[in-house]
Amino acid sequence: MARDMILQDEDATIKLATKLTEYARAGDAILLSGPLGAGKSLFARAFLRAFCHAPSLEVPSPTYTLVQSYEAPSCTVSHFDLWRLGGPDELEELGWDEAREGVVLVEWPQKLEDLLPEDALNLEIHVLADGQRQARLSGWGERLKEADLAGYGADI
């Protein structure tokens, strides 16, 4: 099942990320796809601040470190930016297996290749000509189906 929606502005992306924290739990992977500038990092920052219950949490981009981890009340959450990853064999050095015990947010998940988690929530964001974002959510089975996302983006 996939859910398509329009995110009219950055605030809509932030609200969606915040809402999805209500459904995330240890062992989850959230895979963020889309071109540069689509809003993947904006989504990740909003998710991390809400999941960690820390609205002013400093969330630097992990573009150069490849991973940043944060302690949340329920588990550790790790934000991976795999843009510069040479291949999935480098993930072991980054602590991928340990990170999977908590929640992982992954930008550029195609770099995972065979390590793509099958039970992940996939979020694809594309920029429309008018600057709005089209988002497609898929995965998480019944959780996504039952998620009340009304008002967090215009369903299409």
Side-chain angles (χ1 to χ4, degrees), residues 10 17 20 40 44 71 79 85 101 116 122 128 141-142 156:
E10 287 186 353
L20 288 172
K40 297 180 300 293
E71 290 303 319
H79 179 197
L85 189 75
E101 294 173 12
L116 271 169
N122 295 283
L128 302 175
E142 289 300 312
I156 55 173

Side-chain angles (χ1 to χ4, degrees), residues 7-116:
L7 302 172
Q8 297 176 343
D9 53 25
E10 287 186 353
D11 192 47
T13 302
I14 291 167
K15 286 179 180 177
L16 176 63
T18 301
K19 183 65 176 176
L20 288 172
T21 64
E22 296 175 21
Y23 301 94
R25 57 185 181 227
D28 280 344
I30 300 172
L31 309 179
L32 308 171
S33 301
L36 286 170
K40 297 180 300 293
S41 294
L42 176 69
F43 178 94
R45 283 185 181 98
F47 183 93
L48 286 161
R49 288 177 179 138
F51 195 75
C52 293
H53 303 262
S56 60
L57 179 68
E58 184 69 28
V59 183
S61 173
T63 300
Y64 294 101
T65 59
L66 302 180
V67 64
Q68 293 280 102
S69 295
Y70 304 86
E71 290 303 319
S74 61
C75 64
T76 300
V77 59
S78 300
H79 179 197
F80 287 83
D81 183 332
L82 303 181
W83 175 253
R84 295 178 53 241
L85 189 75
D89 53 316
E90 294 177 13
L91 283 169
E92 185 177 333
E93 296 172 29
L94 297 176
W96 175 255
D97 291 335
E98 296 82 20
R100 289 287 291 132
E101 294 173 12
V103 172
V104 294
L105 291 167
V106 183
E107 295 185 54
W108 307 103
Q110 64 273 22
K111 298 272 191 151
L112 292 171
E113 297 178 12
D114 292 341
L115 296 176
L116 271 169

